[in-house]
Amino acid sequence: MLQHAWRSGYLVNVLQTSIDNKDYIAGKLLHAHILRLGLSSHTLLLNRLMELYSKCGHIQPARHLFDQMLQPNIYSWHSLLTAYCKQPQLDNAHKLFLNMPERNTVSWNTLISAFARKTPTRALELYSQMNAHGFSPTHITFASVLSACAGLGEMDCGRVSHASAVKCGLNKNVYVGNALLSLYVKCGCPRDALIAFRELDEPNEVSFTAMMCGLVETDQVEEAFEMFRLIQRSGIRIDSISLSSVLRVCAKGGGSSFGWNGETDRDLPNTQGKQVHGFTIKLGFEGDLHVCNSLLDMYAKNGDMESAELLFGNLSETSTVSWNVMISGFGQNRDKQRAMEYMERMRALGVEPDEVTYINMLAACVKSGDVENGRLIFDSMACPSLISWNAILSGYSQNEEHLEALKLFREMQFQNQQPDRTTLAIILSSCSEIGFVECGVQVHATSFKCVCPGDIYIASGLIGMYLKCGRIEAAVHIFDGLTQADIVCWNALITGLSYNSLDKEAFTYFQRMLQIGMLPNEFSFATTLSCCTKLSSLSQGRQVHDLIIKDGYANDVVVGSTLIDMYSKCGDVDGARVQFDMMPYKNTITWNEMINGYAQNGRGDEAIFLYEDMIYSEGKPDAVTFIAALTACSHSGLVDLGLKIFNSMQQQYGLNPLADHYTCIIDCLGRAARFSEIEELVDKMPCKNDSLVWEVLLSSCRIHGNVILARRAAEELIRLNPKNSAPYVLLANMYTSLGRWDDTKEIRAAMLERQVTKDPGFSWG
């Protein structure tokens, strides 16, 4: 008997060594030895053998052994349950669980944890059953359940579980606390995450890392940096995961210097990232591939490809991820050529590109505007994923090749590739741009199969498409059918109604939005102000202005520029100037609106003073700036200044004058009867096929009686549109006013010969 016990004890120890080493062959030999010794009924030995088989990933021998056991105990059942859960064969695990003669908290926790990782909904169901059977949850139960809630985004269920953990006194347990952090972070509740973090008695590196990730996901970059500083001060071991997380923060940008190297200059490019890089070397992580890939990603996302290349060149080991990060980085920086070079180098070194490589290369082509090469890469993919389809479709749409996008979408359907909400949004945008409502209707029908009915992301695209195509009733019907429209849907409706000149209706929907408590954003205000402008309703515009101040959008450059435009076009140019002077930041559009406001309200001198202020303050004038300035010169008789500004376009700013600029300067010179200078301009202007230029010239010639140049302008207009009666009539009237009756007859004869009929006049009387 003693010898029997000694042998079994010895075999248990040997089996433990095999388990630790995952030595399957040794286990098989020991199994045979146990059978020869007649120890096949020894439960402890068989449990150890089952553990060995499951550790080595051989579930069938473990199950066979279990089925042969004469007296399996709770440990036997748990051993096989754990093996099924690790595989994971969850259906088999659940069947075994249901057949267990005896269950305890460990049994429930093992199954709940496994389902939490793979099927969170089932994990929550099991948790409910565990409570119903009267088992008390442990810290492992709560950690698994909270993880399941985080995966499903089940905030309400998570809060209930949090309350239960508090009741059981387990909320301060580090595992439960970390699961709570993850839940609140993933559900976008940073304040709750911070409370859970502060409740932890001994937060570990997982706690700090989860908190840091949560802060960066909600764009609280400075707070995320502060969390990393706190890790250092707390003396907690900084591992590769913590470093990779803080590098993600650095990739977001913002924040102040860590001050490790005495640097405090916030204007230094990528200061924080470089400091973390130095810190990784100090901690000995320069050889850690995961950290190095995070460093590459950080440099690439900050546009510092020079540092990324230097680091990449010094890596002792690279992976497909490393190459993909470099290709993606060059693509983000619109350097398609360098991205292509890295892909070729990758292949030359025997590293096989994966799907991510092709997607990154495809994105590089699309961002560079090279959709043709992007399509070649797409066509080279054996089985392109949905991400690849969306990337190439987006490329066509952004490059305004909308018909190509629609053709490819049809091909996508033929290949039975299911679109998602991103695909449908891209195609709806293309349908909107070319007014292809029939295709938009087909996409609408497809959306019922591919996404949930009432999906607000698709709804906003549909509303925009129908309104752009003039299908107002359809757009309103979709909007009214939404159970809960978001701000994007409201903006799409208001903008679309305004686009269709239904500005009163658009303003009414803006009021409805306010009534239900939906907060407008900068786009809502800008569109509504444009409605007020088109309605010439200064009183409504002022009411919207009051709301803008109340909601804190007064300093927004887009809203501010639209306010200036509204006040100017409603005749209150002084009110526009007050708004202009109050804006802390002004872009080119802001300056243009104010200059144009003065010009259109007959205050040319002030427009020019403001134009000169813009130049003096190093503003960058664009084509619109010069149209506004030249219009001001024309309306105020500032001819020489107008010529100076016109000539400066190309000489100082490298801008080629467009037809509108020639129209303005010709109008300016024509008002002053400086026709010799006009002739010089029209001889060398590239826009001889623009009718408006000749119409303005003909009008000036008629006022000042310049018959020769008037005849030339009329002939050009007739060349551009032989059936247009206006130039014939204007020239004939000019001859009549000068008493040149023969010339008048000649013009009328030409009209009869060419079968040009004068448009009938209309009386308002």
Side-chain angles (χ1 to χ4, degrees), residues 193-211:
L194 194 58
I195 292 167
F197 177 80
R198 286 172 177 162
E199 284 183 351
L200 290 173
D201 292 330
E202 293 183 11
N204 58 14
E205 63 271 16
V206 177
S207 320
F208 280 102
T209 303
M211 197 64 227

Side-chain angles (χ1 to χ4, degrees), residues 379-637:
D379 289 339
S380 72
M381 296 182 185
C383 186
S385 67
L386 182 56
I387 296 171
S388 307
W389 282 99
N390 287 347
I392 189 65
L393 286 169
S394 176
Y396 279 128
S397 186
Q398 288 172 24
N399 213 42
E400 296 184 6
E401 295 183 45
H402 300 296
L403 286 174
E404 286 299 320
L406 299 181
K407 279 164 62 179
L408 188 62
F409 176 63
R410 180 165 291 182
E411 187 181 326
M412 181 182 182
Q413 291 175 301
F414 286 144
Q415 293 189 22
N416 292 321
Q417 173 66 63
Q418 191 86 339
D420 65 358
R421 63 211 305 249
T422 303
T423 322
L424 298 179
I426 293 166
I427 299 305
L428 285 170
S429 174
S430 286
C431 292
S432 296
E433 290 301 318
I434 59 176
F436 196 174
V437 71
E438 290 81 5
C439 182
V441 171
Q442 291 173 16
V443 174
H444 190 176
T446 304
S447 71
F448 288 109
K449 301 176 187 175
C450 302
V451 294
C452 295
D455 183 295
I456 55 174
Y457 186 73
I458 297 299
S460 61
L462 284 167
I463 291 164
M465 182 276 296
Y466 278 125
L467 285 166
K468 196 81 180 280
C469 297
R471 297 282 191 91
I472 295 147
E473 286 184 12
V476 173
H477 178 72
I478 291 169
F479 182 84
D480 289 341
L482 292 172
T483 52
Q484 194 172 4
D486 67 356
I487 189 64
V488 179
C489 293
W490 281 98
N491 286 346
L493 184 66
I494 293 167
T495 304
L497 290 170
S498 179
Y499 175 81
N500 284 279
S501 300
L502 297 169
D503 296 290
K504 282 185 180 177
E505 290 81 354
F507 194 84
T508 301
Y509 270 98
F510 176 74
Q511 290 174 313
R512 272 180 58 186
M513 184 172 81
L514 297 176
Q515 286 165 4
I516 66 163
M518 176 67 69
L519 293 174
N521 63 13
E522 61 271 30
F523 303 108
S524 320
F525 283 124
T527 305
T528 307
L529 283 168
S530 295
C531 294
C532 298
T533 303
K534 287 192 277 183
L535 292 167
S536 299
S537 179
L538 185 59
S539 60
Q540 287 181 326
R542 283 177 174 155
Q543 288 173 21
V544 176
H545 191 176
D546 289 340
L547 274 174
I548 287 166
I549 295 168
K550 181 184 172 186
D551 288 0
Y553 286 100
N555 292 336
D556 183 88
V557 69
V558 174
V559 175
S561 301
T562 314
L563 273 167
I564 292 166
D565 181 57
M566 184 275 295
Y567 278 118
S568 297
K569 286 179 179 171
C570 289
D572 185 5
V573 73
D574 291 323
R577 184 56 192 260
V578 169
Q579 172 61 26
F580 178 85
D581 289 338
M582 287 176 67
M583 289 179 67
Y585 171 74
K586 302 172 180 68
N587 63 11
T588 303
I589 295 169
T590 316
W591 287 95
N592 290 351
E593 293 291 5
M594 194 63 244
I595 294 167
N596 191 57
Y598 277 132
Q600 295 299 330
N601 282 275
R603 291 163 68 167
D605 288 336
E606 288 164 278
I608 297 305
F609 286 142
L610 194 63
Y611 166 77
E612 289 171 348
D613 282 346
M614 179 183 183
I615 303 301
Y616 181 75
S617 61
E618 298 183 355
K620 293 183 179 178
D622 61 7
V624 178
T625 316
F626 287 106
I627 290 171
L630 291 170
T631 300
C633 291
S634 179
H635 290 180
S636 300

Side-chain angles (χ1 to χ4, degrees), residues 339-363:
M340 192 71 79
E341 285 173 22
Y342 265 76
M343 189 169 174
E344 288 168 3
R345 277 177 58 190
M346 180 182 182
R347 282 175 169 156
L349 290 167
V351 182
E352 193 60 35
D354 61 9
E355 189 187 4
V356 176
T357 317
Y358 286 111
I359 291 170
N360 287 342
M361 198 59 239
L362 176 56

Side-chain angles (χ1 to χ4, degrees), residues 728-746:
Y728 294 97
V729 173
L730 284 170
L731 198 58
N733 290 344
M734 186 177 173
Y735 285 138
T736 301
S737 64
L738 295 171
R740 296 174 59 168
W741 305 108
D742 291 340
D743 290 322
T744 302
K745 287 178 184 178
E746 183 188 333

